[in-house]
Amino acid sequence: MTLKEILVGFGNVMWGTPLLLLLMGGGLFFLLYSRFIPFRYFKHAVQILRGKYDGEKGEGDINHYQALSTALAATVGMGNISGVAVAITMGGPGAIFWMWVSAFVGMATKFFTCTLAVMYRGKDSLGHLQGGPMYVIREGLGKKWQPLAVLFCIAGMFGTIPSFQSNQLTAAIGEGLLLPLGIELTFGIKLAIGIVLAIIVALVILGGIKRIGNVAGSMVPAMVAVYVIAVVAILVLNYELVPQYIKLIFVDAFTANSVLGGAVGAIVVAGARRAAFSNEAGIGTAPMAHGAAKTNEPVREGLVAMMGPAIDTIVVCTMTALAILITGIWQDHTEGISGVTLTIKAFDDSLWGGRYLLVLALFVFAITSLFSYSYYGGKCFAYLFGAKHIRWYQYFYIGMVVWGSVASLGAVIGLIDGMYALMAFPTMISAFILAPKVMKAAKVYFAREDL
């Protein structure tokens, strides 16, 4: 059995019915238990994000906007471009519907997990304030729950490796730039691309969360704007096809006829897996970014965090999916065309210079994602081995950028999917137990703010 087969099998085993029920069923529980807070206070969340409360004095390293930008840099990225293509390849158009469902309930999950990340912050071995599921477990549940925190951190170190981003960016550069020039994407060229990416990543991540927050805060809006304009152009040019493919998404979600031959259960899993990689609701990575926000109002940060799934999955992923579907490329894909290559072909067929525009957007998406994931994995490593040793993890992380550029897509997805699944259990279990604390704090906050 090859390494690829082992990793693909690991990912498939972990994404079974129990995890599906935990994430989607848990999200539905949080939505009902919160009495639909994510939708009732969405306007207030926008006000927070626009900086209305940035003058508050609070512990932390970055403001609300930078915290969301750091989280979105990891989510509005390859998961929205390549991840959607993977979802359609694996589950057909109907998988997009289940990504929507996952995001819809995921907004409530994000509200609870990220509120807890600020509510139960703790000190690392150097005395710096930190947030994330491992600190929620330690500070909120006590030492007897410590094994859950350890499990989260072990999975987090590997679930947040940058290999998917570097793999798909390398593929995008090869497909979008090199092949048109007649240059074949050989192992040597992949390795060279990986080394260049590793150098760029090293220059930023060795500067810490403040530098990551500043870079992400300036790059994320620009990359989203460029990408959205390009996709809107494709949809406008093919406007007459949009209604029929929106209908196909809904129909195929309950028939699974397009790719899976009626296996509806498989299509739900395909959608949920890719949604988890796209918006990370319930996985536990975003709480680590939001836990660094400069605020003493946990509920306020939870409200900002809940906007993540709405932006990256319901808006950006839907646009990507429609761009792929209306071009028909998804029906013609072969074994060698998957992931980001599918999206590039869709753009190339629809827009003059589309492949170059997408490669540019992909470069920014992937680079900012690489910055954010290094922060997540580093926090997990520091929790287990001490913050003063974090450089060792950063060196490992930089090396994984290179590995991802030459590894197979299947192996990379299998490893990350499996580790994401392991991260979800500690995150969701701790959130369930501490949910009453969140609701108590929310009641006090909304009464004080007269909302």
Side-chain angles (χ1 to χ4, degrees):
M1 186 176 285
T2 65
L3 176 62
K4 176 183 176 180
E5 290 172 337
I6 292 171
L7 294 176
V8 169
F10 171 58
N12 290 337
V13 167
M14 290 305 303
W15 276 90
T17 302
L19 184 66
L20 204 62
L21 290 174
L22 182 71
L23 289 178
M24 298 185 77
L28 180 60
F29 164 77
F30 287 133
L31 192 62
L32 297 174
Y33 184 64
S34 69
R35 299 179 182 88
F36 294 89
I37 278 177
F39 306 103
R40 288 162 53 205
Y41 296 102
F42 200 86
K43 181 180 177 181
H44 182 57
V46 173
Q47 291 176 330
I48 300 168
L49 190 60
R50 291 176 63 185
K52 184 177 179 180
Y53 299 92
D54 279 356
E56 65 177 304
K57 295 190 184 302
E59 295 184 279
D61 297 313
I62 51 181
N63 63 33
H64 297 292
Y65 172 75
Q66 289 173 325
L68 182 63
S69 293
T70 300
L72 284 177
T75 56
V76 181
M78 302 303 286
N80 301 93
I81 299 178
S82 180
V84 171
V86 171
I88 293 173
T89 302
M90 293 171 61
I96 305 305
F97 174 83
W98 295 108
M99 288 184 74
W100 291 342
V101 172
S102 179
F104 189 78
V105 299
M107 289 176 67
T109 303
K110 276 277 183 84
F111 171 73
F112 278 86
T113 56
C114 294
T115 297
L116 288 169
V118 176
M119 188 181 292
Y120 291 106
R121 290 194 276 206
K123 299 279 181 74
D124 64 19
S125 59
L126 294 179
H128 297 146
L129 199 67
Q130 303 285 0
M134 58 285 215
Y135 292 98
V136 170
I137 293 167
R138 188 181 77 184
E139 306 296 325
L141 298 180
K143 289 186 177 180
K144 66 179 180 179
W145 293 90
Q146 183 67 2
L148 268 186
V150 172
L151 172 63
F152 175 83
C153 289
I154 292 173
M157 286 191 300
F158 295 96
T160 59
I161 60 171
S163 303
F164 179 77
Q165 285 75 18
S166 61
N167 178 283
Q168 291 295 274
L169 183 54
T170 300
I173 292 171
E175 177 69 30
L177 299 178
L178 300 183
L179 283 181
L181 297 174
I183 302 174
E184 187 180 348
L185 193 62
T186 62
F187 178 86
I189 291 178
K190 287 181 180 179
L191 184 62
I193 293 172
I195 291 171
V196 171
L197 289 177
I199 292 171
I200 295 171
V201 170
L203 291 174
V204 174
I205 70 169
L206 296 179
I209 183 59
K210 289 186 179 180
R211 186 181 294 178
I212 293 170
N214 288 333
V215 173
S218 60
M219 294 181 77
V220 169
M223 74 179 182
V224 171
V226 169
Y227 184 69
V228 167
I229 290 169
V231 177
V232 167
I234 293 175
L235 298 183
V236 169
L237 291 171
N238 299 276
Y239 70 92
E240 72 281 356
L241 297 175
V242 172
Q244 76 179 66
Y245 280 105
I246 290 177
K247 179 182 177 181
L248 179 62
I249 289 172
F250 282 94
V251 171
D252 198 56
F254 297 97
T255 61
N257 288 330
S258 295
V259 170
L260 295 170
V264 175
I267 206 173
V268 176
V269 172
R273 282 175 75 163
R274 300 280 59 82
F277 189 66
S278 170
N279 62 54
E280 301 175 354
I283 303 300
T285 47
M288 289 190 273
H290 288 283
K294 194 175 293 183
T295 180
N296 289 329
E297 293 285 359
V299 173
R300 194 171 287 162
E301 193 58 32
L303 290 169
V304 170
M306 75 184 188
M307 297 175 68
I311 295 170
D312 70 64
T313 303
I314 296 175
V315 177
V316 183
C317 283
T318 300
M319 296 175 71
T320 303
L322 288 172
I324 292 172
L325 292 174
I326 63 178
T327 59
I329 293 294
W330 63 282
Q331 293 174 308
D332 302 327
H333 77 272
T334 61
E335 183 65 28
I337 303 176
S338 61
V340 73
T341 310
L342 201 65
T343 315
I344 288 175
K345 288 191 174 295
F347 269 66
D348 204 33
D349 286 2
S350 302
L351 290 177
W352 182 84
R355 67 167 58 226
Y356 303 109
L357 189 63
L358 183 63
V359 170
L360 174 63
L362 277 168
F363 181 78
V364 180
F365 273 121
I367 288 295
T368 51
S369 297
L370 291 170
F371 300 156
S372 296
Y373 279 128
S374 71
Y375 175 63
Y376 296 153
K379 285 187 75 164
C380 291
F381 181 90
Y383 184 87
L384 293 176
F385 303 106
K388 66 179 180 179
H389 301 301
I390 196 171
R391 277 285 190 268
W392 291 107
Y393 178 80
Q394 290 171 332
Y395 298 146
F396 162 76
Y397 184 91
I398 292 165
M400 294 306 285
V401 172
V402 180
W403 177 75
S405 67
V406 297
S408 74
L409 177 60
V412 170
I413 289 178
L415 173 62
I416 294 174
D417 274 357
M419 291 300 175
Y420 258 45
L422 284 176
M423 292 165 69
F425 286 100
T427 301
M428 292 296 283
I429 290 170
S430 59
F432 286 140
I433 297 171
L434 295 169
K437 302 281 189 182
V438 174
M439 289 307 297
K440 183 178 179 181
K443 187 176 180 180
V444 172
Y445 176 80
F446 293 129
R448 187 173 67 246
E449 296 291 326
D450 196 25
L451 296 171

